[in-house]
Amino acid sequence: AQKITQTQPGMFVQEKEAVTLDCTYDTSDPSYGLFWYKQPSSGEMIFLIYQGSYDQQNATEGRYSLNFQKARKSANLVISASQLGDSAMYFCAMTLNRDDKIIFGKGTRLHILP
Amino acid sequence: KAGVTQTPRYLIKTRGQQVTLSCSPISGHRSVSWYQQTPGQGLQFLFEYFSETQRNKGNFPGRFSGRQFSNSRSEMNVSTLELGDSALYLCASSLVQGRTDTQYFGPGTRLTVL
């Protein structure tokens, strides 16, 4: 069965430091997409970054990058130069194909300290 | 371009009542998915609609139903409400074009069942 695992329930990071949020996934399907979403206390899920299983390069979007290690089934999110506004819940997610639902991990709550 | 909108944002109902939640997708998006988020179960997929047809369904009882209109707007209905239905209900829309099918979420409807 398909599964997303986020092993860090909570993290505390000093402002301006880089932070890595861990995500491992499990699927036997060769075609899949991996996503990271940010959920502030307001509740809205904000799309951050996407990585396709066939993409050769690691995805980057501004301060966000996805460290994709296909053999290890790992898709860690790296946030460079963290800011106070980065404090939120972060979810790793996966879709198997464009017609399928998103499977979410349990999330990691990130706290940025001033 | 306007984002995904959901109405109402907050709702309080009592057990046994029914409720209808509404979601308007991003203009041009044809797929709408619904998710339930609770502290205990996390984010769970309810169903997905594409071109007015339910294309995928999660593992929820028949009390949960939905529909999609010709303008891609979607409604979700929960009948005979139970205390456990208290949750944040998130709607997401996607373009369904190409291999990247990113889902963009609305702000959610927070339902409280008393």
Side-chain angles (χ1 to χ4, degrees):
Chain A
Q2 296 77 36
K3 189 179 178 182
I4 293 280
T5 302
Q6 294 180 255
T7 57
Q8 307 151 309
M11 285 186 71
F12 289 83
V13 174
Q14 209 68 39
E15 189 181 9
K16 297 181 184 172
E17 287 185 352
V19 57
T20 298
L21 304 181
D22 295 340
C23 172
T24 57
Y25 60 92
D26 187 21
T27 180
S28 56
D29 196 306
S31 178
Y32 50 88
L34 296 159
F35 302 81
W36 277 93
Y37 286 89
K38 171 185 178 182
Q39 188 177 41
S41 55
S42 60
E44 184 172 359
M45 295 286 280
I46 301 168
F47 165 72
L48 295 178
I49 198 166
Y50 166 85
Q51 180 85 41
S53 59
Y54 295 116
D55 294 341
Q56 298 296 315
Q57 304 278 351
N58 284 347
T60 60
E61 289 285 349
R63 294 187 299 113
Y64 304 107
S65 61
L66 198 152
N67 185 2
F68 181 45
Q69 298 187 42
K70 197 169 182 177
R72 300 176 66 178
K73 293 190 175 178
S74 164
N76 297 341
L77 177 70
V78 180
I79 306 174
S80 63
S82 57
Q83 303 170 357
L84 295 178
D86 293 334
S87 293
M89 196 75 168
Y90 288 80
F91 291 94
C92 180
M94 175 171 66
T95 59
L96 294 182
N97 56 59
R98 80 167 73 160
D99 295 331
D100 212 341
K101 61 184 181 290
I102 292 182
I103 301 163
F104 286 92
K106 294 292 187 185
T108 295
R109 184 165 295 281
L110 176 64
H111 303 269
I112 306 298
L113 305 172
Chain B
K1 187 183 273 191
V4 179
T5 58
Q6 290 186 248
T7 57
R9 292 294 310 277
Y10 302 91
L11 207 49
I12 299 176
K13 291 285 187 178
T14 56
R15 279 182 301 173
Q17 286 187 309
Q18 76 164 22
V19 66
T20 299
L21 311 182
S22 180
C23 171
S24 292
I26 293 171
S27 177
H29 284 196
R30 297 167 63 194
S31 169
V32 173
S33 298
W34 289 89
Y35 295 84
Q36 181 196 64
Q37 186 178 25
T38 59
Q41 298 298 318
L43 278 151
Q44 293 185 287
F45 171 78
L46 279 156
F47 29 62
E48 185 218 357
Y49 286 88
F50 177 75
S51 294
E52 302 177 66
T53 301
Q54 189 181 87
R55 194 164 64 170
N56 211 337
K57 190 177 188 306
N59 189 25
F60 277 82
R63 300 185 296 109
F64 292 82
S65 63
R67 59 178 176 169
Q68 186 181 34
F69 302 94
S70 57
N71 61 358
S72 293
R73 190 178 70 85
S74 177
E75 286 182 348
M76 188 192 98
N77 185 75
V78 188
S79 62
T80 320
L81 284 166
E82 300 176 0
L83 295 179
D85 297 333
S86 293
L88 179 66
Y89 290 89
L90 291 161
C91 161
S93 75
S94 59
L95 191 59
V96 191
Q97 184 175 3
R99 204 170 65 194
T100 302
D101 188 21
T102 299
Q103 294 191 17
Y104 295 91
F105 285 79
T109 294
R110 194 168 293 279
L111 172 66
T112 301
V113 182
L114 303 175

